[in-house]
Amino acid sequence: MILQNHLEHGVRVKVGQHFGTVRYVGEVPNTEGEWIGIEWDDPERGKHSGSVNGVQYFQTRSPKAGSMIRSEKLAKFQTLEQAITEKYISTEDTLRLDSEMIRAVQKQLHAPLFEIVGMEKVGGKQSNLQQLVDVSVRYCPVNAAGDLSSFVNLQMLDVSSTLLWNWTVVASIAEQIPTLQELNLSNNRFVDPYEEQISMLAQKFQNIRKIILRSCALGSWSEVVRLARMWPAIEYLSLEQNEIGYVEDEAPYIVALSRLKHLDLQNNSVCDVESVRNLGKLPALEELLLNGNGIREVRFSEDCPHNEKVDLFRQLRTIYLRENPLQDQCSTFNELDKLARLEHVTLDPDPSVSYEETVARIVGSIAGLCMFNRSTISEKLRRDSECDMWKLYANQWAEVRNDAQRLKAFFKSHRMYPRVMERLGSPEQFLPDTRKVTNMIHLQLLNETTAERRDKKVPKRINLHTLQNLIVKLFGLPDSTSSLRLYLLDRKRKVRIPLENHGKSLDFYSVEDNDTIVFE
């Protein structure tokens, strides 16, 4: 027997394991009796889009999501009171069944002393509605509140995948259980409240801190903001697997969600730069889950100096960015460094580099990072990562260091570099040696007899015999001059080293640039 006297548009129903929403109640020509037009949650469950024999009775979002059925097929509705009582209260029949079950297990295990430890305590607690703290009636056909005055200690309530469809009913549940703080409403479909209802319903949700609305077919951020006006104390909001896309830059959501600390937007379509930036205006947000949104780029501000933070996500400590096709992770890390209190980042490693390199890049780039992918960052890892970044960007820094404008742009793109240089100093030692490699040296040739000098550039590997012939020509000595005696003048030790083996080259004797060769 259905609790309501009649089915109306928007009522949630269940047939077998399938959930749907009433879209039409009435007659169909050439048939007898009343038909119920259903739009199924499963888009392939039905036979049409609400059109029967050429007549459009209702419209579904998917072409095969509609059906016409008789009310007799619908699951009987329950109040929440009935569902909890049926599930949690131990009657004489259930206790008898429990006893029979234990005896059967004892017989099967050949263990007559087998017992379930604590069974008496569990049964006693379940039999006392006043002691219930955490209750789940998931999959039960609940569509009304009932009398909930007995649940004086209830704090967490899971009514996901039920037949709740009206926010007035949910408000009644919250009002009757003033201790209730957490509501799981996932996999339900709700009719939007009228504008005049919102302020009235807000008074009934004043104790609710956490709401989970996973897979509730929410179609826009503005719809979420409108609902949030009913939840003045909301701190935790899960909106996973809905149809939310663009996040508008509107003042109402900042007011409606001014106390929000945790926001779960996983597996939606919040992917554009502006939407992510607009979420940064939530004043109390500490944790943001954006996994699986198709985000390709993160950009907060192009005008933020390297030694300042942006005025966005002022309280954010944790962000989840897994399963997003980020195009430039280094740029993403540089943007995340602009957040004042960020401590924990979760994202997929860059497949083009090793996991270790991804770790080094993010740890070296984000100053206050304490955890990456749930792993604690040690001080040694931080120092090593900063050193890696110091070396990695040394060449880029060297190219712009003498150009003030280009250096400023470099620091904006690599915010960590100035602070790493402050700790480690200039990276010049890691720059490639740009000096030209030459095989020539300059020599000072001295005629000891006449004190005449000549400067000459010669190959390092010139042998002494060739050098002797060069001296003869350079000083205009007679061709008949016999072999010269050559000496290397060692200025440091103030001695002359004889160069006697004329078949050896200058580098054999370690002759260096600007050395003096004396001959006589």
Side-chain angles (χ1 to χ4, degrees), residues 71-273:
S71 61
E72 292 80 16
K73 291 186 177 182
L74 303 179
K76 294 182 179 180
F77 293 165
Q78 285 183 310
T79 64
L80 178 59
E81 175 194 9
Q82 290 172 328
I84 296 176
T85 301
E86 182 178 302
K87 182 173 182 179
Y88 287 89
I89 298 303
S90 299
T91 63
E92 291 184 6
D93 289 339
T94 57
L95 291 173
R96 177 177 54 80
L97 289 173
D98 290 342
S99 179
E100 291 176 356
M101 179 190 70
I102 293 174
R103 285 199 296 271
V105 173
Q106 288 174 337
K107 182 177 181 180
Q108 185 176 1
L109 297 178
H110 304 289
L113 299 179
F114 172 83
E115 63 176 337
I116 300 178
V117 177
M119 191 68 182
E120 303 82 1
K121 293 182 179 179
V122 172
K125 187 172 184 178
Q126 287 181 335
S127 299
N128 190 343
L129 297 178
Q130 295 182 349
Q131 295 187 38
L132 287 174
V133 175
D134 186 353
V135 163
S136 173
V137 291
R138 184 177 175 86
Y139 296 119
C140 295
V142 172
N143 81 331
D147 182 4
L148 304 174
S149 58
S150 299
F151 303 98
V152 295
N153 287 305
L154 191 61
Q155 297 178 18
M156 294 174 284
L157 176 61
D158 183 352
V159 284
S160 59
S161 300
T162 59
L163 301 181
L164 291 175
W165 64 284
N166 191 311
W167 283 106
T168 302
V169 174
V170 182
S172 175
I173 293 171
E175 182 181 34
Q176 291 191 63
I177 312 175
T179 56
L180 190 63
Q181 297 183 16
E182 178 180 334
L183 265 173
N184 188 344
L185 301 166
S186 300
N187 298 298
N188 291 311
R189 303 289 185 273
F190 292 95
V191 175
D192 287 341
Y194 297 116
E195 187 64 28
E196 55 269 21
Q197 288 181 301
I198 292 179
S199 59
M200 178 189 68
L201 295 177
Q203 300 174 17
K204 301 180 180 183
F205 283 107
Q206 59 184 345
N207 294 322
I208 301 299
R209 302 287 188 273
K210 179 176 181 178
I211 293 181
I212 303 174
L213 289 166
R214 184 177 185 270
S215 300
C216 288
L218 297 172
S220 68
W221 179 250
S222 58
E223 181 182 353
V224 172
V225 172
R226 189 168 183 272
L227 295 176
R229 289 163 55 197
M230 297 188 298
W231 314 320
I234 190 72
E235 296 180 356
Y236 182 113
L237 180 59
S238 176
L239 303 168
E240 185 180 358
Q241 290 186 356
N242 281 284
E243 301 163 15
I244 301 168
Y246 182 69
V247 175
E248 297 86 351
D249 181 15
E250 297 179 358
Y253 84 85
I254 301 177
V255 176
L257 298 170
S258 61
R259 299 180 62 177
L260 191 67
K261 296 181 180 179
H262 175 105
L263 178 59
D264 187 347
L265 285 168
Q266 295 182 87
N267 301 310
N268 281 275
S269 299
V270 182
C271 57
D272 62 285
V273 168

